[in-house]
Amino acid sequence: MMIFAKSFKAISQFIFRYGLALVFIWLGILKFKNAEADYLKDILQNSSLFSWMLKYVTSYTFSLMIAYLQIAIGILLAIKPVAKKLSLFGGLLAVLVLGISLLTLFTSGYVWQAGYGFPELSKLGQSILKDLILFGAAAWCVGDSL
């Protein structure tokens, strides 16, 4: 039974870390699309915390910045076997990025279903809610890399 538990734990940790890395890389690649820039523009415009950014950069430029950052985070998370300290940095960046995403839940009326308010989430709100689990995975990666 002990071998089963250890094997299951090792497999789940592998999936946890490399699944998170894959999610970051995949979402980063999607950010190169104009549709993602439009999506981000809607989020930024409706966030009291982030709306000021659109005065300085276009939504497409912001989307590209996020794309490169997400891809870098994914790669940094994945290189733990060969570069533990760099992977730690990737985990910290992932926690930061996902933490900022979660702030959107509290700073944007756009995440609530129009006409219903709390607790009815819009599609955007549902999309951001999954970041809570990803945030936990990123925090675990930080602890695992220490």
Side-chain angles (χ1 to χ4, degrees), residues 74-133:
I75 292 168
L76 288 170
L77 288 170
I79 63 170
K80 183 191 174 238
V82 295
K84 194 172 181 179
K85 287 184 181 185
L86 284 175
S87 190
L88 171 64
F89 183 64
L92 291 170
L93 284 173
V95 166
L96 178 67
V97 167
L98 292 164
I100 290 169
S101 177
L102 288 171
L103 279 176
T104 307
L105 274 176
F106 305 106
T107 64
S108 174
Y110 201 63
V111 300
W112 307 110
Q113 184 67 35
Y116 294 97
F118 181 83
E120 297 294 327
L121 291 168
S122 67
K123 292 293 182 191
L124 170 65
Q126 293 173 29
S127 173
I128 292 172
L129 190 59
K130 59 117 176 71
D131 288 350
L132 182 60
I133 298 301

Side-chain angles (χ1 to χ4, degrees), residues 45-91:
Q45 283 177 333
N46 290 289
S47 171
S48 57
L49 193 59
F50 303 113
S51 60
W52 61 270
M53 281 194 243
L54 292 176
K55 293 178 186 175
Y56 303 103
V57 296
T58 67
S59 58
Y60 187 72
T61 300
F62 186 70
S63 186
L64 288 178
M65 291 173 7
I66 297 295
Y68 290 118
L69 178 62
Q70 287 182 326
I71 292 168
I73 288 170
I75 292 168
L76 288 170
L77 288 170
I79 63 170
K80 183 191 174 238
V82 295
K84 194 172 181 179
K85 287 184 181 185
L86 284 175
S87 190
L88 171 64
F89 183 64

